[in-house]
Amino acid sequence: MYKLPDLGYTFEALEPHIDAKTMEIHHDKHHAGYVDKLNAALEKYPNLQTKTIEELLNGIKDVPEDIRTAVQNNGGGHHNHTLFWESMKPGGTKEHHSKLADALKATFGSLDEFKAKMTETAVSRFGSGWAWLVQDGDTLEVYSTANQDSPIMEGKIPVLGLDVWEHAYYLKYQNRRPEYVEAWWQVVNWDVVAQRLNT
Ligand code: MN3
């Protein structure tokens, strides 16, 4: 059984950048729904229930066909959102990690250029999906996935993910996705991003 993780902070903790009502619905309804549907899909496959969520997503092609789409959508949704909550912190943290800064500079030119690329990727994602910073072997890459597809399904390691489904911002920002993305940068927990890069 997969479990809905706690946020680690209160619903209103990310105000004014991300509003409390959005956080409450996003965590308690959307994320909880992915977890419930994932568990329901795995009910008749006990051997899959003991896998970590990463193992499950990494082996998505081996998941029985009758539940593969359900696992892709809801398993992806579970992992993506868990990573998303952990990637934010009230007030954000400073980007002072030298190894992370060096890696971003080597790949994108500078931290600002990385942010611009991630922002552009998030804003231009058509419809529902995610913008990602991923590690693929020795290289870093920014790209996006549709729906709840996880980079893990493609053998990539998600380092930072930004949810650009409308449910992530519509109550406060309506159609103004660029404003939401700009606000989100204010609450990024770079400590966690740096840790992911090191593993
Ligand atoms: Mn979401």
Side-chain angles (χ1 to χ4, degrees), residues 51-127:
K51 289 182 183 290
T52 65
I53 187 67
E54 288 86 359
E55 288 168 344
L56 193 62
L57 297 177
N58 194 251
I60 189 71
K61 290 178 180 64
D62 302 320
V63 169
E65 205 172 343
D66 62 326
I67 62 163
R68 195 177 304 150
T69 300
V71 171
Q72 180 172 345
N73 290 337
N74 298 294
H78 175 38
H79 190 270
N80 291 346
H81 285 85
T82 301
L83 181 139
F84 188 56
W85 312 135
E86 291 170 355
S87 302
M88 297 187 289
K89 187 178 179 174
T93 65
K94 294 276 178 246
E95 312 101 329
H96 55 66
H97 302 274
S98 57
K99 193 178 166 192
L100 173 69
D102 288 351
L104 292 175
K105 193 176 172 189
T107 305
F108 303 101
S110 68
L111 178 70
D112 283 346
E113 283 173 89
F114 155 66
K115 281 185 173 179
K117 173 131 204 218
M118 182 101 174
T119 295
E120 164 64 20
T121 301
V123 168
S124 61
R125 167 83 245 168
F126 184 76

Side-chain angles (χ1 to χ4, degrees), residues 130-144:
W130 291 72
W132 299 101
L133 171 67
V134 297
Q135 200 169 356
D136 188 6
D138 289 337
T139 61
L140 289 175
E141 184 190 350
V142 166
Y143 81 132
S144 76

Side-chain angles (χ1 to χ4, degrees), residues 26 30-31 34 77 81 84-85 130 148 163-165 167-168:
H26 203 173
H30 290 279
H31 191 171
Y34 297 127
H81 285 85
F84 188 56
W85 312 135
W130 291 72
Q148 294 296 351
D163 188 345
V164 292
W165 281 57
H167 69 223

